[in-house]
Amino acid sequence: MQETGSPPLSRRDALIVAAAGATVPAAATAQGGGQERADGPAPARARVSLEVNGRRRELEVDTRTTLLDALREHLHLTGSKKGCDHGQCGACTVMVGGRRIYSCLTLAVMHEGDAVTTIEGLGQPGNLHPMQAAFVKHDGYQCGYCTPGQICSATAVLEEIRAGIPSHATADLTAAPQVTAEEIRERMSGNICRCGAYSNIVDAMAEVAGTSVAGRPA
Amino acid sequence: MRPFTYERAATPAAAAAAAAREPGARFIAGGTNLLDLMKLQIETPTHLIDVNGLGLDRVEATAEGGLRIGALVRNTDLASDERVRRDYGVLSRALSAGASGQIRNKATTAGNLLQRTRCPYFYDTNTACNKRRPGSGCAAIGGVTRQLAVIGASEACIATHPSDMAVALRALDAVVETVKADGAARDIPMAAFHRLPGETPHVETALERGEFITAVTLPPPVGGRQFYRKVRDRASYAFALVSVAAVVQRDGTGRVALGGVAHRPWRVEAAEAELPRGARPAMAAILDGARPTHENAFKLALAERALASVLAEARG
């Protein structure tokens, strides 16, 4: 499949164009066509091939396109959310090569050939991933906006603990880390939930890990 | 984000040469800091050189008995390395104390060293900042300074270096290996890598134009009990108000570097002779000459108490 659509003009670009007093139509400036801004080069495009949720996708994108925008705007996988767009909230969390990252803080063109797993690839209605089912069971959300990122992150966190990756909450650096409430809280600190579903998220994760956390039977 | 052209570098030397050729070029590895700054148009590179394909992602033993950490080793992988956890605990601890899991999975060793300050005035493009726009002034001086430097600052800049990892590397006497645009390699000790702001706060490191970091080497293990004590406004995913990287030997001697207090990891080797006498005399010597503001003077007491807690744990 080939995608050649350009992302729509962003608000920031529109403001910049307006501030510069440009008289050309904003869309023409933002989408290139050989025009050069006074303060830098024209937009550049590049081809990139990703394997998203097991399926090969060929894209041609503006080099500025983040992985998040490629997923949402080009591939229409809108499960990954844009919260802050600055790596502070975690709503955009996806897995690349099995590791969780912020898709807003990486460029699509930096992921040639990479395997990307989004919430859509983790499970589907009627075929939920165990972490998705546990979030439903434990009410691990309220508005749901941060949930795709929380679930991708939570799934990867349990893998990280299994792989023996230490965290700030790990008491003994030379011992294997355990699934505890402290470990879960520390490792999930890169995902914010403004509805405050945190304690239920901890319960959901503990259930999937097959453990109970202090004072809370799974 | 401003438009930029993009290339993937084939070798470290080619990356260095390409960066030297193009005035607006930047290397991109993890991108977790650079892309954030590009979105805010604080960084406006016209060309990105993607170095992720260069390898440089291994931690290897050196002939001297230390470790050579490739520039592109991700923070998670370095913190998890068995040898680092066993012999350089302060480094593993510092890495785990920094950022979030998602960031650590992407951020690299070299990129962590080169991350920019989180001074709020550097981030606010409506204010003067000598780091962001040389010669424009420093809006932080006389502004909200709670998080900013208490020592080694200048009339031009009172920003701090945000890295945790770099503080541990400074305590461990790590060495930064680079290749220059002409292909020549050189070693830069951590002590000389980050600069104080002086009159040119936009020049943050000893790197020359195009110079590319290939690795960071650790000397043979120094033993002792190793600590990274980070004090911050939240329990996790926040920058340090003060951090203490310490290696404490059985006889009470040791080494200490501080984060969150200066434009570079702060270590005063001569002051470490005071360590066996306790946190108060040691920190007084380490922070001799500090010039805090009324808003960040608490960092002096906080640093002393953080060190006292480390020394107590080392004894216990």
Side-chain angles (χ1 to χ4, degrees):
Chain A
M1 174 183 170
Q2 176 140 343
E3 284 280 343
T4 53
S6 298
L9 181 69
S10 76
R11 182 168 167 272
R12 177 174 289 275
D13 276 337
L15 290 172
I16 289 162
V17 170
T23 53
V24 294
T29 304
Q31 294 183 2
Q35 292 193 40
E36 185 131 343
R37 289 189 197 176
D39 54 0
R45 299 185 73 80
R47 302 179 70 86
V48 64
S49 170
L50 309 170
E51 191 197 309
V52 182
N53 299 330
R55 186 172 156 205
R56 195 124 189 110
R57 311 297 291 259
E58 308 284 337
L59 296 175
E60 189 195 317
V61 295
D62 185 309
T63 52
R64 291 171 290 181
T65 308
T66 61
L67 178 59
L68 175 63
D69 283 340
L71 293 170
R72 287 181 54 85
E73 309 295 339
H74 293 256
L75 299 177
H76 310 297
L77 293 167
T78 53
S80 306
K81 295 295 186 277
K82 185 181 281 192
C84 69
D85 208 26
H86 286 279
Q88 296 173 7
C89 76
C92 69
T93 302
V94 301
M95 283 176 262
V96 175
R99 313 182 85 176
R100 59 182 173 142
I101 64 165
Y102 295 138
S103 62
C104 77
L105 281 190
T106 192
L107 296 170
V109 291
M110 290 163 65
H111 291 281
E112 176 64 35
D114 282 356
V116 182
T117 304
T118 69
I119 190 72
E120 291 93 342
L122 215 54
Q124 302 78 36
N127 180 32
L128 294 183
H129 184 277
M131 190 64 77
Q132 291 173 312
F135 267 62
V136 172
K137 177 178 167 189
H138 290 277
D139 229 357
Y141 49 83
Q142 184 176 311
C143 82
Y145 194 82
C146 73
T147 311
Q150 297 277 5
I151 290 177
C152 285
S153 197
T155 306
V157 159
L158 296 188
E159 281 305 317
E160 288 168 12
I161 295 176
R162 257 193 284 277
I165 293 168
S167 85
H168 184 61
T170 307
D172 181 357
L173 272 185
T174 57
Q178 305 298 310
V179 181
T180 64
E182 250 191 318
E183 284 280 7
I184 290 174
R185 285 193 204 103
E186 161 59 28
R187 290 169 193 264
M188 291 296 288
S189 69
N191 291 81
I192 290 172
C193 170
R194 288 297 71 157
C195 301
Y198 298 112
S199 63
N200 295 351
I201 292 172
V202 173
D203 290 347
M205 290 178 67
E207 176 169 308
V208 174
T211 65
S212 60
V213 294
R216 289 172 182 274
Chain B
M1 239 186 275
R2 299 286 178 84
F4 54 84
T5 49
Y6 170 86
E7 71 171 295
R8 296 187 185 106
T11 65
R21 237 182 351 256
E22 177 97 32
R26 288 277 192 288
F27 302 121
I28 189 161
T32 53
N33 186 217
L34 181 60
L35 286 169
D36 182 30
L37 294 170
M38 286 169 64
K39 289 179 183 191
L40 297 165
Q41 299 194 8
I42 294 165
E43 292 269 13
T44 54
T46 54
H47 184 62
L48 286 186
I49 302 164
D50 183 342
V51 297
N52 284 292
L54 296 181
L56 307 177
D57 57 355
R58 306 269 298 273
V59 181
E60 297 162 323
T62 64
E64 294 74 35
L67 290 178
R68 185 170 189 273
I69 304 158
L72 294 168
V73 172
R74 308 289 154 170
N75 288 178
T76 297
D77 297 320
L78 185 54
S80 307
D81 186 279
E82 215 173 284
R83 296 157 293 184
V84 173
R85 288 157 75 172
R86 185 186 63 221
D87 298 329
Y88 305 94
V90 62
L91 178 57
S92 181
R93 288 291 185 200
L95 284 158
S96 297
S100 67
Q102 290 96 322
I103 298 262
R104 291 191 295 271
N105 279 343
K106 204 92 181 76
T108 63
T109 307
N112 190 319
L113 286 176
L114 295 176
Q115 65 179 304
R116 312 291 307 273
T117 184
R118 274 19 177 236
C119 173
Y121 299 92
F122 173 70
Y123 266 75
D124 182 354
T125 53
N126 296 305
T127 63
C129 172
N130 287 319
K131 207 180 253 308
R132 179 164 31 74
R133 204 173 336 119
S136 65
C138 173
I141 295 174
V144 178
T145 56
R146 182 168 182 272
Q147 297 180 37
L148 303 179
V150 295
I151 196 162
S154 71
E155 293 306 309
C157 179
I158 58 172
T160 57
H161 195 269
S163 172
D164 295 298
M165 181 196 79
V167 182
L169 291 179
R170 178 72 180 88
L172 292 169
D173 286 327
V175 175
V176 180
E177 295 183 5
T178 71
V179 58
K180 292 200 221 183
D182 63 4
R186 72 161 166 160
D187 293 343
I188 309 170
M190 271 301 286
F193 185 78
H194 291 108
R195 296 163 45 114
L196 289 179
E199 295 302 305
T200 55
H202 60 290
V203 183
E204 296 171 347
T205 69
L207 294 178
E208 294 170 11
R209 191 167 133 188
E211 191 168 5
F212 178 74
I213 298 174
T214 51
V216 173
T217 54
L218 299 176
V222 293
R225 295 195 65 182
Q226 304 198 2
F227 303 89
Y228 190 75
R229 190 65 43 93
K230 181 174 179 179
V231 188
R232 43 187 158 171
D233 283 329
R234 293 191 300 241
S236 184
Y237 204 15
F239 290 96
L241 291 166
V242 164
S243 68
V244 172
V247 179
V248 185
Q249 303 295 344
R250 207 179 285 266
D251 61 2
T253 62
R255 36 173 97 184
V256 175
L258 303 182
V261 298
H263 198 258
R264 66 181 187 204
W266 191 257
R267 182 174 174 202
V268 181
E269 278 89 337
E272 291 167 3
E274 297 288 330
L275 266 179
R277 297 184 49 223
R280 178 160 294 184
M283 197 52 75
I286 292 166
L287 290 176
D288 184 35
R291 290 178 55 204
T293 68
H294 70 281
E295 286 181 9
N296 63 24
F298 73 92
K299 287 191 177 189
L300 275 56
L302 198 56
E304 184 193 312
R305 290 173 194 165
L307 179 60
S309 105
V310 161
L311 294 179
E313 194 176 331
R315 278 193 304 270

